[in-house]
Amino acid sequence: MDGDCPDSDLIPGVRSAIDWELAQIVQPPPAAPLTPAPRRPPPRCLDDPRIARAVRLLDGVPAAPLGLDAVAEYVDLSPFHFQRYFQEVMGESPSAYLRRTRLDRAAMGLLMGAESVMQVALDAGYASHEAFIRAFQRRFGRVPSQYRLFAQRNRPLPTPQQCELAAQVRVQVVKPLPLLAMRFHGSYVDREEYWRIFGDYLRRIGFPLEEAQALGVSLDGSLVTPAEQIRYDCAVIDPGFDPTATALTRHSLPAGRYATLRFDGAYLPGIVNTLSSVAIAWLPASGEKLKPVNNGGFELFHTPPWAQGGGRQSVTVALPLA
């Protein structure tokens, strides 16, 4: 990684932590693969009802054990057929998906937070510190303390504009909200197209769009997860609509404290600039910590995102706080 620092630059405690973690790694034979990449990227729009429900279940238990049999039963398939079906749709097995997304969340925690490596491991569903270290090294090529050191040293610095916007961040308490969501995968560049696809889909299934409140839910960060694997949910507050036999899945925006900041203008670069203003400019100076959960931050749209032209949106960004 660019920006690697010589050992002489490390304080003794960090050096000791890295040395201990490196000692936990069982080196594979020279020809043994590390964590295999997905056979292909996940679908841009996950419109398969069964796999959408399975993914929602997998995402909903970020730190709990979840067996293949339980997920297969949840979507009314045998374990054998579910395993094959999931891999065909998503490009990787259910266990690989769960491991990858949990480790990505752990990497984001190491990048943005100050929790101990053990706490990050527990938040990612690992009961064993050593098992987490080995899994993390196989995915990212570094043990966790190495990754944190170099990632934080190479983290983008806030721009003067983002520092100014940070003064407008407000902490708000949000009540739980029932949602109906559709999963998309890809970069920020594609999100306005996702909303057009989502709006068209809602019309086709007879969802009442006239008074719909739209929310976008981000589950991954672009500083950690490759663009084609970034998960994003287009969602609406559930008015009691029956999503049976549709690609919509029930979701819940959890209650809690959120750091919020509004922008009005072009979605790009507005969304990236606003997120950076909160996470990179405001958070380190605030004394607050992000909540280590797998439902990420959200975007509350003040105008229907599927109806806006010219790339302009009115959005409040909210990141969950511990």
Side-chain angles (χ1 to χ4, degrees):
M1 179 186 294
D2 291 343
D4 282 10
C5 299
D7 289 355
S8 60
D9 287 349
L10 303 183
I11 61 175
V14 175
R15 177 72 269 170
S16 297
I18 291 174
D19 287 343
W20 185 86
E21 290 175 9
L22 286 170
Q24 310 313 307
I25 303 300
V26 178
Q27 295 296 336
L34 295 178
T35 303
R39 184 176 58 185
R40 53 181 170 73
R44 186 164 177 256
C45 173
L46 181 54
D47 57 3
D48 185 293
R50 278 184 167 172
I51 300 304
R53 291 178 61 220
V55 163
R56 184 67 61 199
L57 181 63
L58 291 169
D59 290 346
V61 285
L66 191 63
L68 175 66
D69 290 359
V71 186
E73 181 179 0
Y74 182 72
V75 296
D76 299 320
L77 289 172
S78 71
F80 174 77
H81 286 96
F82 170 67
Q83 174 100 346
R84 293 185 60 183
Y85 189 25
F86 189 98
Q87 183 144 352
E88 178 62 30
V89 174
M90 297 295 292
E92 59 188 331
S93 69
S95 60
Y97 172 88
L98 190 61
R99 181 171 55 252
R100 176 178 63 78
T101 54
R102 287 179 171 182
L103 288 171
D104 279 12
R105 187 179 68 260
M108 184 59 69
L110 292 167
L111 171 64
M112 300 301 299
E115 290 80 7
S116 68
V117 171
M118 185 62 201
Q119 186 58 54
V120 172
L122 292 172
D123 291 338
Y126 285 83
S128 163
H129 194 174
E130 293 81 1
F132 171 69
I133 290 168
R134 296 185 191 106
F136 192 93
Q137 192 270 346
R138 284 195 297 271
R139 172 139 179 84
F140 293 101
R142 296 189 185 279
V143 292
S145 291
Q146 280 181 317
Y147 183 92
R148 164 175 275 160
L149 175 69
F150 296 121
Q152 290 189 353
R153 285 181 171 177
N154 287 277
R155 188 167 59 191
L157 295 174
T159 66
Q161 181 195 26
Q162 290 165 356
C163 291
E164 290 181 12
L165 288 173
Q168 302 175 31
V169 173
R170 297 291 179 266
V171 175
Q172 299 183 25
V173 176
V174 176
K175 296 180 179 179
L177 292 174
L179 304 177
L180 294 174
M182 177 181 278
R183 173 62 51 83
F184 292 83
H185 300 94
S187 73
Y188 294 114
V189 175
D190 299 322
R191 288 190 180 176
E192 289 189 292
E193 177 62 20
Y194 299 165
W195 282 107
R196 285 189 282 273
I197 293 170
F198 185 60
D200 289 343
Y201 184 80
L202 292 178
R203 291 185 190 94
R204 289 201 307 272
I205 64 174
F207 186 91
L209 276 180
E210 295 74 18
E211 298 181 2
Q213 172 64 69
L215 289 93
V217 184
S218 299
L219 288 93
D220 299 298
S222 59
L223 295 176
V224 170
T225 304
E228 69 275 8
Q229 295 174 353
I230 291 176
R231 297 167 295 166
Y232 182 75
D233 287 338
C234 290
V236 288
I237 294 178
D238 183 6
F241 185 84
D242 182 4
T244 304
T246 74
L248 301 180
T249 51
R250 296 192 186 280
H251 189 31
S252 178
L253 186 72
R257 298 167 62 249
Y258 288 79
T260 66
L261 181 61
R262 177 168 174 163
F263 78 90
D264 296 272
Y267 187 77
L268 284 174
I271 186 65
V272 175
N273 191 48
T274 305
L275 284 168
S276 297
S277 298
V278 179
I280 298 176
W282 177 82
L283 187 68
S286 69
E288 297 277 4
K289 296 180 181 179
L290 293 181
K291 195 172 184 179
V293 294
N294 200 31
N295 44 311
F298 72 90
E299 304 158 23
L300 175 68
F301 288 83
H302 302 290
T303 52
W306 45 76
Q308 298 302 105
R312 297 187 64 82
Q313 301 288 352
S314 180
V315 184
T316 291
V317 168
L319 297 181
L321 300 173

